[in-house]
Amino acid sequence: MSEHQAALASIPNEHVRRWVEECIKMCQPDKVYVCDGTKEERARFFKEGCETGVFIELNQKKLPGCYYHRSNPNDVARVEHLTFICGPTEDLAGPTNNYWNDKEAYAKLKTLFTGCMKGRTMYVVPFVMGPIGSPLAKVGVEITDSLYVAVSMGIMTRMGKVAWQQLGDSDEFTECLHSVGDCNPERRYICHFPLDNRIWSFGSGYGGNALLGKKCLSLRIASFLGQQQGWMAEHMLLMGVEDGKGDKNYVAAAFPSACGKTNFAMLIPPQKYANEGWKVTTLGDDIVWMWADENGRLRAINPEYGYFGVVPGTNSRSNPNAVKTIQKDTIYTNVALVPLEDGTYDVWWEDSDMPEPKKAIAWDGSEWTPGCGKKAAHPNSRFTAPMHNNPALDPAAEDPAGVPVSAIIFGGRRSKTIPLVYQAFNWIHGVYVGATIGSETTAAATGQVGVVRRDPMAMLPFIGYNVRDYLTHWFKMRKKISDPPRIFCVNWFRKNDQGKFMWPGFGENMRVLEWILNRCKGRAYAQETPLGWMPRPEDINMDGLDLDPKTMQELQSINADDVKSELLSQQELFLKLGGDMPKEMIFQRELLISRL
Ligand code: OXD
Ligand code: MN
């Protein structure tokens, strides 16, 4: 038996076997390796990666099991302009996605994939998204020629033999084909074929483009499957909140990329709250799958198994739990490397706890010294860490039954106009609020940073089908839910006239969370405003926080002219959707205008 055949024979599922065989014929790898997901395998991968330069071992005393990876400098973020939804008709992709006819996309990508793995190893990576045995858990198999991707998938998903067990004889798995190719941005395509349950990604090794279980499967493909099958895939964190009196609730929250979802998901309550027994626990920091159970309650799971978080700014003030999470078994990508005296390396990034080094190797491999005028770590440098490292991991994180959701929060990064917090009047109004959130863009995607863009449910880059059908699906979900979660809008990023953030954020967001949960329980006061239900300054618990009442007033102020401009700028989204806007959106907008 040839080596390829031996690898194929080790794949227990015949549908996967047949597909891998086709991919071998097309990609022509030198070697084929089927991942088993064991610890020994991971150790071998790191050893091999250190020999070939894919990884650099970090100081194992300080950072046991941690490795460094540097990506191609042209490949450091998601590439929305090269991300496509492919199918037979343009209507499938809708006005917010790049559309590519599926036949043309397959034809073009076949020319790129043909022979692309000559001289390379093809890794076959079976994985499960979601707790094993969950009604929503989905199996994917990623074929990749990147060792970095294979290892990272082992952190971010439940990877290896467990996926074969979950799949059994079924043919229901997402085919994920990936090659870094020659990492040329001119030949970079991230293609989704929702009707074929298939992803083809070529020319990038960056997480969001290459770890196909994450954005590609768990958001784009899953959002499409969810619409077809009556559930939801959302760009949300998921957290548990205990109030010290025995009451525990779960909250899901959607924020655009790099708006602090990971920090919020790992929030540590301020001292006053900790003394009273409040506790926040993390289920997930990026993606949530939700469905209505047999009692009509919305339940949620996190399909992922690890965190792929932004490193710069991570420190013991912004996120102590993340700092603890990334002390072991973590891959650091594109931060700065600090050579130590014993010949090993440490890592460093801007706004970290560690003192600024006298000398470092910047993320792009160049020399770095303080004040040299460039960043040491790339603004979108990342950690890839197992969720079980998180000291605040929620005990239900592996529960196949998921957790019931009491509140859904939408937020964005807005220096003006949007108050700290308000509550939507009901589910339908909440969907409108979520659909019209705007946010100032960040470094998580290539493109201009700092401009407000409409980002429905923080899902703009991740809706795997027509946004019109996606919004309609949100409205329709209401019929399946007997007691819908309450919906809120928050903005931690409002600035004063001097350009300073007015709200302290981070752990202090607990105060807003308390009001939100009290609202869900019918225990907190709120005033009706044109935007929704709002707390008066005295309704937010300010014990132990030195924030003057005037600032609080300002944080919560609504300026009618600003809201009118906001309405006008929402027009951009309405125009994009054209005549296909769900009618609920039009009604809600009219209602808002009349309230103003
Ligand atoms: C992410 C993103 O990496 O949203 O989570 O870009
Ligand atoms: Mn994200």
Side-chain angles (χ1 to χ4, degrees):
M1 210 184 323
S2 79
E3 267 181 50
H4 286 7
Q5 272 165 343
L8 278 172
S10 74
I11 297 174
N13 177 292
E14 62 164 298
H15 309 283
V16 177
R17 205 158 50 229
R18 233 179 289 140
W19 169 64
V20 174
E21 197 169 5
E22 279 168 31
C23 293
I24 292 176
K25 276 195 195 125
M26 178 163 69
C27 304
Q28 302 160 33
D30 267 22
K31 286 194 192 134
V32 180
Y33 178 82
V34 181
C35 297
D36 61 20
T38 56
K39 271 199 198 126
E40 295 71 31
E41 178 183 82
R42 181 175 308 184
R44 258 188 286 123
F45 279 167
F46 278 128
K47 187 166 176 284
E48 195 184 310
C50 288
E51 283 158 13
T52 54
V54 174
F55 293 113
I56 292 174
E57 188 179 75
L58 295 171
N59 184 299
Q60 294 296 300
K61 272 205 199 99
K62 183 171 180 234
L63 298 164
C66 294
Y67 292 82
Y68 179 82
H69 173 77
R70 182 178 290 133
S71 78
N72 190 313
N74 77 31
D75 189 29
V76 293
R78 287 183 292 99
V79 280
E80 291 174 12
H81 61 297
L82 303 172
T83 299
F84 297 87
I85 302 299
C86 311
T89 61
E90 201 158 351
D91 191 58
L92 172 77
T96 56
N97 283 308
N98 301 310
Y99 167 73
W100 201 353
N101 174 273
D102 51 357
K103 287 202 181 80
E104 287 173 22
Y106 280 134
K108 171 72 188 178
L109 268 78
K110 265 183 195 156
T111 64
L112 298 172
F113 274 110
T114 298
C116 72
M117 296 189 191
K118 275 183 192 159
R120 299 184 189 181
T121 299
M122 170 189 276
Y123 300 91
V124 179
V125 188
F127 61 94
V128 184
M129 301 312 304
I132 305 301
S134 168
L136 284 198
K138 296 268 173 284
V139 174
V141 181
E142 176 156 355
I143 288 179
T144 178
D145 54 9
S146 159
L147 181 66
Y148 169 72
V149 167
V151 178
S152 303
M153 286 294 286
I155 298 176
M156 294 304 294
T157 72
R158 293 157 175 96
M159 190 275 267
K161 289 213 171 91
V162 69
W164 301 132
Q165 283 152 15
Q166 175 85 18
L167 184 60
D169 296 332
S170 166
D171 62 355
E172 245 183 79
F173 68 98
T174 306
E175 291 178 4
C176 307
L177 177 60
H178 169 254
S179 171
V180 207
D182 56 0
C183 205
N184 180 344
E186 302 292 319
R187 285 190 287 277
R188 185 171 289 160
Y189 301 99
I190 322 298
C191 291
H192 305 73
F193 304 86
L195 298 173
D196 303 334
N197 198 7
R198 186 174 290 151
I199 302 156
W200 281 17
S201 165
F202 191 90
S204 167
Y206 171 74
N209 306 322
L211 309 181
L212 300 186
K214 192 174 178 64
K215 302 298 188 182
C216 300
L217 192 165
S218 292
L219 286 176
R220 299 197 189 94
I221 295 289
S223 62
F224 173 78
L225 292 176
Q227 188 243 6
Q228 304 275 300
Q229 300 165 358
W231 53 278
M232 310 165 89
E234 297 298 331
H235 190 204
M236 291 178 174
L237 65 91
L238 185 60
M239 71 209 292
V241 188
E242 268 173 80
D243 70 357
K245 298 190 201 95
D247 194 16
K248 178 159 187 182
N249 290 278
Y250 297 93
V251 176
F255 296 83
S257 307
C259 279
K261 280 214 301 299
T262 305
N263 293 347
F264 192 42
M266 296 184 180
L267 179 153
I268 293 186
Q271 200 55 50
K272 162 204 140 44
Y273 284 86
N275 294 347
E276 290 168 11
W278 286 81
K279 220 168 120 188
V280 170
T281 43
T282 318
L283 287 107
D285 77 328
D286 196 39
I287 301 177
V288 163
W289 289 354
M290 300 188 284
W291 73 102
D293 68 12
E294 56 294 349
N295 301 317
R297 273 213 87 167
L298 196 65
R299 301 191 78 84
I301 55 167
N302 165 22
E304 300 191 281
Y305 205 44
Y307 310 118
F308 181 64
V310 176
V311 178
T314 302
N315 57 49
S316 46
R317 191 180 84 87
S318 65
N319 195 337
N321 284 328
V323 171
K324 289 184 185 134
T325 300
I326 60 180
Q327 294 309 311
K328 61 172 188 184
D329 301 325
T330 294
I331 301 175
Y332 290 86
T333 305
N334 291 343
V335 297
L337 267 183
V338 183
L340 301 175
E341 275 174 8
D342 62 0
T344 63
Y345 292 97
D346 195 359
V347 283
W348 189 79
W349 55 87
E350 276 75 15
D351 220 352
S352 82
D353 288 331
M354 298 165 271
E356 191 175 62
K358 296 216 165 55
K359 214 166 85 185
I361 307 169
W363 70 274
D364 60 359
S366 64
E367 225 176 75
W368 181 92
T369 47
C372 69
K374 64 182 179 194
K375 297 262 190 224
H378 188 276
N380 194 34
S381 52
R382 297 280 177 148
F383 58 77
T384 313
M387 74 172 185
H388 280 283
N389 278 5
N390 178 0
L393 185 69
D394 192 279
E398 298 267 19
D399 189 343
V403 295
V405 179
S406 299
I408 290 177
I409 301 175
F410 292 112
R413 179 182 286 273
R414 295 299 300 272
S415 35
K416 278 163 58 176
T417 313
I418 308 297
L420 178 64
V421 59
Y422 65 91
Q423 181 187 354
F425 294 116
N426 52 43
W427 178 271
I428 303 293
H429 178 228
V431 176
Y432 171 82
V433 168
T436 52
I437 51 173
S439 191
E440 288 149 25
T441 49
T442 68
T446 47
Q448 203 188 343
V449 170
V451 291
V452 174
R453 106 174 159 173
R454 290 296 134 199
D455 193 347
M457 278 71 181
M459 277 286 280
L460 184 69
F462 308 120
I463 302 169
Y465 59 109
N466 195 313
V467 60
R468 166 200 69 212
D469 300 330
Y470 169 78
L471 294 178
T472 303
H473 182 50
W474 261 91
F475 287 119
K476 276 196 180 156
M477 279 301 291
R478 173 66 185 90
K479 295 195 189 126
K480 289 182 185 270
I481 311 171
S482 51
D483 182 19
R486 309 299 188 258
I487 298 182
F488 299 82
C489 179
V490 301
N491 176 24
W492 316 134
F493 302 96
R494 201 167 185 180
K495 289 182 177 168
N496 62 15
D497 292 339
Q498 287 76 51
K500 283 243 155 61
F501 289 117
M502 288 191 279
W503 179 247
F506 304 114
E508 306 297 344
N509 293 337
M510 184 66 232
R511 300 171 191 277
V512 175
L513 205 48
E514 181 186 13
W515 180 78
I516 285 176
L517 287 170
N518 280 335
R519 284 297 293 169
C520 295
K521 301 275 159 174
R523 291 194 293 238
Y525 188 82
Q527 261 179 331
E528 190 178 332
T529 74
L531 293 180
W533 294 107
M534 274 177 56
R536 298 162 303 183
E538 63 265 38
D539 296 318
I540 302 277
N541 193 332
M542 298 302 256
D543 275 7
L545 177 66
D546 188 17
L547 190 82
D548 79 89
K550 254 179 56 206
T551 306
M552 197 60 209
Q553 208 102 39
E554 221 182 308
L555 269 163
Q556 282 294 77
S557 64
I558 301 176
N559 178 309
D561 287 336
D562 287 350
V563 177
K564 278 178 201 154
S565 319
E566 178 73 8
L567 261 164
L568 280 177
S569 91
Q570 287 176 9
Q571 193 70 13
E572 170 207 342
L573 177 75
F574 279 69
L575 285 173
K576 233 183 187 169
L577 268 82
D580 281 339
M581 185 63 103
K583 61 183 181 316
E584 291 88 343
M585 290 288 292
I586 320 249
F587 295 155
Q588 286 298 327
R589 188 179 146 88
E590 291 297 318
L591 283 172
L592 174 56
I593 292 170
S594 70
R595 286 196 300 271
L596 280 170

